[in-house]
Each structure stands twice: as C-alpha cells, then as structure tokens.
Amino acid sequence: MKKSRVVDRTRLQALKISEIRSSTTEFNLYLDVGSDIIPYAQGIHQWSVAEKRQLLKQGQFILLYAREDAERVSQYLETSPAEPLGPLQPNTPVELLISDGIAEFLKTRYTYPLSVKQALSFKSLAAALQEYLERHPELGILLWRLHEHDAYTYYHSARVAAYAVGISAALQPDEPGKLWDLALGSFLHDVGNINVDAKLLQRAGPLQPKEWDQIRKHPDESMQLLSGVALNPFVKEIILHHHERMDGGGYPHRLPGGELPLEVRIVSFAEVFAALTQPRQYQTRRTIEAALHLIESSLLNFLDPHLLDSLLTLLDQNQVKEDKTPPSLS
Ligand SMILES: [Fe+2]
C-alpha cells in the first residue's frame, strides 16, 4: 500500500465495510490507518466476501471516499444487490454486530471535519468502546437484542454517540468533557426500546395517548435492563434523562434544564440532530441545513440553545459550503 502525499481529511466521507457489495466499485477508496490516509481500492476493484472479512479482522471497519464521489457512491448503494455481510442478517454474531455499530460510529464522524489530533482521539475512543462492549457480554447481548428488535434504534444510537462526542469536542476543545460517558451512554441510551412494541417504534402516523405512554417508558425500561451492570452515574443519567427538556416538559421526571448535567444535554441535542438527518421508513432524510433550520426555529425550548454553536462549529458549515476545491488525494 502506498502512502498518500497530501490528504485533506475534511473532504472525505465513509462507507462501512458491511455496505460494500461483492461486486465492482469504480471510485477511489482509502483507508484511515491512524495519522495517515492511504489509497486502497483505486479505480475499478472487484470485491469478495473474503477480502471484506480480512479488512474487518484487521480492525478496518470503514473505507473513505472523496466528497465529490458522493453521488456515484449513493448510486452504487442503490443499484447493487444486497449482500451476506450487509445489511446484517438476523442471528448475526454479537462481535460482528458490535463491530458494525462501531463502524457506524466511525462513519458518522466523517460527516464532520476533525483535526488529525481529534481524529486520532476519536479512533482510539472507538477502539476502546469496541473492546469494552466485547468484554461485557451482558451489554453485547442487550445490543444484539436491540438490533433484532429494531435495527434503526441500534444504528441511530451509534450515530448519536458520534455527534455527542463531536459536540463535546467542539464545545470544549482543550478539555472535551467526558467523552467515554457520552459514547457509552449514547450507545446504550435507547436499549429500553427492546421492551417497546416494535410496531410503535416504526409507526409513521400519530400515536394514541396509550401508545405514547408505552414509548415514554423506554428510559425506565433501559434502567431496568441495565440494573445489574456497573455503569458510572453519568452514563446512567444520560440513559435515564435523554428525553427531559430544557423547559421541564420532558420525561420521565419533567426535570428542567438547570437540573440536567451537560452530558445529558449534549446527548439530547445529538439525538435530535441524528434523528432529523437520518432517513426512516416513513421519513426521507433532511439535509443538514434543513435539520439546523428546524432546530433553530422550533426546538430550542426543548434543547440547550448554547449547544447549537458547538454543533455549527463541529459541522464547519462555512468551510463545507465555501470550499469547492477537489481534494488533494494522490
Ligand atoms: Fe430515547
């Protein structure tokens, strides 16, 4: 593998290995190997399941491509047939599911630019998280059950984790807060959905009051499911209170914003942004601009308004809009 001479990490986006089909890709792909981005499958490349498994074994869960290729990549994803490795099938082994969740976490981080130093610390956090989840089979099994019950919630949680960590780093660049708590708390924050009827979680239309009651019990269900697991108090706070609102109108305890730790407010913010920018069965994906507009115009009574600036810094909107130059990849 040859090293790239100049790499602009802010111009890259990511695909999970599980999204690569066993067919031909015709765009340049790169690997993130720590402080370097190196060319991997360049031009026309024929993929096999064995090659993808080999990359996963090496801890390479994502591949990168230049932002300019985004349209070709989405066409590839739309037109290529489904695959044994992805999307993951029922009865996927727990380790593979955890690594695919970590892949989602890493992939989401490529929706915003980071300095090399921040990117390296994000990658170490991902590795530590994977190791922790694999070392705690009781958590692995819960996440596996969550994926079986509602795969959307599982991957959504990984995306929330990536945005929560990013918002914290943008808010306090020198001392980016309790990243571990944010990451682990986000991964586990909706695990209680296991005990909520999947049809309600996936329902497009409005819910009846009784159905809302069922949805609203998921933070308590999470605490119940995690009661035997030694988690630190901040992680538990995130899980129990991520649906509280700044105006005190949230659930389960109607706590006002002043009583919510920063980590909880960050995860609530990240959760809303992740939900708005991700397609669901009943909702097409909003652009980043549309999601930010909705948050600014109608959601700042619920969310901590101070965190909006951190999200904008994280997304580096000005740079993304203004920098139309192609990436310097070689
Ligand atoms: Fe939730």
Side-chain angles (χ1 to χ4, degrees):
M1 291 183 209
K2 104 181 147 81
K3 281 189 179 179
S4 57
R5 285 193 299 276
V6 185
V7 172
D8 180 356
R9 286 170 179 263
T10 66
R11 307 295 306 164
L12 296 171
Q13 292 184 320
L15 267 179
K16 295 192 292 183
I17 296 291
S18 63
E19 291 176 300
I20 299 279
R21 323 300 204 220
S22 298
S23 61
T24 305
T25 47
E26 297 184 5
F27 34 84
N28 292 341
L29 289 163
Y30 301 83
L31 279 179
D32 180 349
V33 292
S35 54
D36 282 312
I37 303 289
I38 58 171
Y40 184 73
Q42 299 285 288
I44 296 174
H45 186 89
Q46 177 64 46
W47 288 90
S48 66
V49 170
E51 183 179 8
K52 291 185 283 182
R53 286 197 189 282
Q54 187 59 28
L55 281 169
L56 289 175
K57 229 191 244 171
Q58 293 165 1
Q60 295 294 342
F61 301 150
I62 56 169
L63 287 158
L64 308 174
Y65 60 90
R67 195 186 296 275
E68 283 67 22
D69 282 334
E71 204 156 307
R72 295 170 74 192
V73 173
S74 60
Q75 265 172 20
Y76 160 80
L77 292 174
E78 275 165 25
T79 53
S80 302
E83 267 309 296
L85 255 180
L88 296 176
Q89 304 298 309
N91 301 318
T92 299
V94 172
E95 304 73 43
L96 191 54
L97 183 67
I98 289 173
S99 70
D100 206 49
I102 299 296
E104 190 77 20
F105 178 65
L106 289 166
K107 175 185 162 175
T108 306
R109 161 260 172 280
Y110 272 93
T111 59
Y112 52 78
L114 288 181
S115 67
V116 173
K117 193 175 158 211
Q118 287 172 322
L120 286 174
S121 96
F122 192 101
K123 225 180 158 193
S124 333
L125 181 63
L129 196 55
Q130 183 194 3
E131 203 249 341
Y132 181 85
L133 292 173
E134 285 182 356
R135 215 158 19 87
H136 288 80
E138 69 279 26
L139 295 179
I141 295 289
L142 280 178
L143 291 174
W144 185 89
R145 286 176 58 197
L146 180 64
H147 179 269
E148 291 285 290
H149 187 68
D150 182 42
Y152 170 86
T153 300
Y154 176 67
Y155 292 111
H156 166 70
S157 303
R159 290 188 286 273
V160 172
Y163 285 120
V165 166
I167 290 171
S168 179
L171 181 68
Q172 311 170 108
D174 298 326
E175 193 196 332
K178 300 181 174 69
L179 296 187
W180 174 258
D181 298 342
L182 289 168
L184 184 59
S186 299
F187 255 80
L188 299 173
H189 81 285
D190 268 347
V191 88
N193 277 357
I194 291 171
N195 290 339
V196 176
D197 186 346
K199 284 196 198 91
L200 292 186
L201 299 173
Q202 292 152 12
R203 171 89 65 82
L207 298 171
Q208 300 300 315
K210 274 196 174 166
E211 294 172 328
W212 267 119
D213 289 346
Q214 218 203 122
I215 296 269
R216 285 197 186 102
K217 69 181 186 164
H218 78 270
D220 284 323
E221 293 289 342
S222 297
M223 298 309 284
Q224 196 77 34
L225 288 165
L226 293 164
S227 59
V229 184
L231 294 170
N232 81 42
F234 281 107
V235 173
K236 288 194 171 171
E237 286 251 30
I238 287 169
I239 296 165
L240 185 58
H241 293 310
H242 69 275
H243 284 293
E244 302 289 358
R245 294 177 7 178
M246 293 301 284
D247 64 0
Y251 62 89
H253 298 135
R254 301 181 72 83
L255 295 180
E259 291 185 29
L260 299 171
L262 177 63
E263 284 69 26
V264 172
R265 286 177 275 135
I266 288 177
V267 171
S268 299
F269 211 108
E271 200 277 329
V272 167
F273 181 73
L276 291 175
T277 50
Q278 189 62 27
R280 295 205 67 169
Q281 285 158 339
Y282 51 82
Q283 158 190 299
T284 51
R285 174 185 179 278
R286 279 184 181 81
T287 62
I288 286 176
E289 289 78 7
L292 291 173
H293 177 72
L294 184 65
I295 289 173
E296 277 179 276
S297 60
S298 9
L299 300 177
L300 290 184
N301 282 346
F302 310 159
L303 301 172
D304 182 348
H306 298 105
L307 297 176
L308 180 60
D309 276 348
S310 310
L311 180 64
L312 292 173
T313 305
L314 175 71
L315 298 171
D316 204 1
Q317 285 291 285
N318 293 333
Q319 181 180 328
V320 171
K321 276 182 197 158
E322 287 165 15
D323 184 2
K324 300 285 183 202
T325 52
S328 307
L329 295 169
S330 55

